[in-house]
Amino acid sequence: MAQPIALPRTRERSATKGSDFAPLLREVKEAGLLERRTASYVIAITLNVALLAATWTGIALLGNSWLQLLLTIPLAIFTTRAAFFGHDAGHQQVGSSRRLHDVLGMLHGNFVCGMSYGWWNDKHNRHHANPNHTDKDPDVGEGILVWTLEQAEGRTGLYGWLTRHQAKIFFPLLTLEGLNLKVSSVLFLLGRRGKRDAQIELGLMAAHLVLYFGALFLVMSPGKAIAFAALHHALFGLHLGSVFAPNHKGMEVPDADTTWGHLEKQVLTSRNVKGGLVTDWLMGGLNYQIEHHLFPSMPRANLRFAQPIVERYCAKIGMPYLNTGVVESYRMGLGHMHEVGSELRDLGKEPSRTA
């Protein structure tokens, strides 16, 4: 059975106690925090499109210069903002029409970011349904990195080395996430290419690639264009991955025998990251991870108002609620990853055993 490391399991309660969520839901509804804030999204999306356009204008004006590489920083930031809008569209946070959300999601995901909105929704919805459940949450499934002692057990060769050092190489690995998102998206869509939505998504991704690389090769030499694209995707992956990394790693790991209601399932497996408006902006509101998981369709701008309500309610019913700083959140997440690889590191110290 997978064992939690960061937060002790203080109580096991029947799923029938899921009604604990009802009073909180009622309070949040009465505060108007589940109502759509479409106008704020229109302003935010328009501003981000303008900033992306300004960045690409700067790229064109600078011409064939290595100074172009400096513009990968704002481009990565505003591309990540586009990914956040695609994420919010997937959760139906913007308006009342599913069709509107699908259009917004595909424009921001497939066309702007070059990753599949459908693939992301499929993966992300499974994560929300069973966060940190190693058999059901794709974000903590066994892969290059592992998240439990069970997953780490018996790993040898390259995978064993990766597990032993995964805390140290985590952030360098995130620089490959931008490429991984594109590759995973294409493989997902090719498996569904007979469906109309998949064909539309593939078309939008093809348009993204043509326009993206066409613009770079039109303005820069091939070497500079490739360097620009590589650095942009590395920074994009690092930024996006750093936002999602501190939210669940090192928190409770439920298993098949765990019987939790909605409140426990979402609160005990998540942590918030505090830090003010700058943190809110850079993390796209996902620093309020507990509130986002409890109310996934809540508009991003309302999460900070829901946070004290949820924290107060959890304190009232005796539910552990973790709200920590940015540095501490990374320390906890990386500490968990380091602990998961501890047994393999201990084995590697024994001369008679091979890793």
Side-chain angles (χ1 to χ4, degrees):
M1 182 172 67
Q3 297 295 321
I5 292 177
L7 186 66
R9 191 168 289 162
T10 56
R11 55 185 186 157
E12 284 286 346
R13 294 166 35 160
S14 169
T16 61
K17 297 294 288 184
S19 60
D20 274 352
F21 180 63
L24 176 61
L25 176 60
R26 183 166 55 250
E27 184 176 359
V28 167
K29 278 185 175 180
E30 290 174 353
L33 297 178
L34 294 179
E35 296 177 4
R36 298 291 181 264
R37 297 185 59 175
T38 305
S40 68
Y41 270 107
V42 170
I43 294 171
I45 290 172
T46 300
L47 177 60
N48 196 62
V49 170
L51 291 170
L52 278 169
T55 304
W56 279 106
T57 300
I59 292 170
L61 292 176
L62 273 178
N64 186 29
S65 168
W66 285 109
L67 290 175
Q68 299 274 22
L69 297 184
L70 294 175
L71 292 178
T72 58
I73 298 173
L75 188 61
I77 291 173
F78 302 137
T79 303
T80 303
R81 300 293 302 173
F84 291 153
F85 291 125
H87 165 272
D88 293 358
H91 283 297
Q92 313 294 300
Q93 294 179 14
V94 181
S96 57
S97 165
R98 179 170 292 276
R99 180 60 180 166
L100 169 66
H101 288 110
D102 288 345
V103 170
L104 283 174
M106 286 189 281
L107 285 176
H108 282 91
N110 298 71
F111 185 67
V112 177
C113 298
M115 56 181 280
S116 167
Y117 170 72
W119 166 76
W120 173 262
N121 264 354
D122 175 77
K123 174 177 177 289
H124 196 59
N125 287 340
R126 285 185 283 134
H127 159 69
H128 267 264
N130 293 282
N132 261 20
H133 194 300
T134 53
D135 294 330
K136 300 178 181 179
D137 182 356
D139 288 353
V140 291
E142 184 175 347
I144 293 178
L145 303 176
V146 293
W147 312 104
T148 68
L149 297 174
E150 278 187 353
Q151 290 176 338
E153 186 177 357
R155 284 197 140 197
T156 60
L158 176 60
Y159 283 106
W161 184 90
L162 289 169
T163 301
R164 291 195 300 273
H165 301 282
Q166 61 180 10
K168 295 178 181 178
I169 64 174
F170 178 69
F171 285 109
L173 280 177
L174 286 183
T175 61
L176 301 175
E177 184 62 13
L179 178 61
N180 176 57
L181 292 172
K182 282 182 166 58
V183 172
S184 297
S185 295
V186 170
L187 293 176
F188 174 83
L189 292 174
L190 288 178
R192 300 162 58 92
R193 58 184 177 273
K195 298 187 176 182
R196 183 171 179 272
D197 284 351
Q199 293 172 357
I200 293 173
E201 288 200 61
L202 283 169
L204 288 170
M205 287 183 66
H208 163 83
L209 291 173
V210 169
L211 291 173
Y212 180 85
F213 285 104
L216 293 184
F217 283 106
L218 181 65
V219 175
M220 310 175 199
S221 66
K224 291 187 180 71
I226 293 172
F228 185 98
L231 184 55
H232 171 220
H233 281 75
L235 293 174
F236 170 65
L238 182 62
H239 184 8
L240 191 63
S242 296
V243 169
F244 286 93
N247 297 333
H248 301 280
K249 306 302 183 274
M251 299 301 293
E252 285 271 26
V253 180
D255 54 35
D257 298 324
T258 304
T259 55
W260 286 343
H262 179 68
L263 188 70
E264 289 172 309
K265 182 188 291 187
Q266 305 301 341
V267 175
L268 296 180
T269 59
S270 307
R271 78 165 62 86
N272 277 10
V273 179
K274 55 189 176 183
L277 292 177
V278 173
T279 301
D280 292 0
W281 189 82
L282 286 173
M283 300 190 75
L286 295 177
N287 47 314
Y288 300 107
Q289 190 68 192
I290 294 173
E291 289 70 34
H292 172 58
H293 264 256
L294 287 172
F295 311 101
S297 64
M298 179 181 289
R300 183 197 313 174
N302 287 347
L303 291 171
R304 66 188 183 98
F305 301 111
Q307 189 276 325
I309 296 175
V310 175
E311 185 173 20
R312 183 170 60 247
Y313 181 78
C314 287
K316 178 181 176 181
I317 66 172
M319 175 80 67
Y321 177 103
L322 186 56
N323 187 24
T324 187
V326 175
V327 174
E328 178 63 12
S329 69
Y330 287 122
R331 187 196 68 77
M332 293 179 69
L334 292 174
H336 169 74
M337 295 175 68
H338 183 74
E339 180 67 20
V340 166
S342 61
E343 291 188 3
L344 290 186
R345 288 194 301 276
D346 291 341
L347 285 174
K349 295 176 183 177
E350 300 176 17
S352 60
R353 302 288 294 273
T354 57

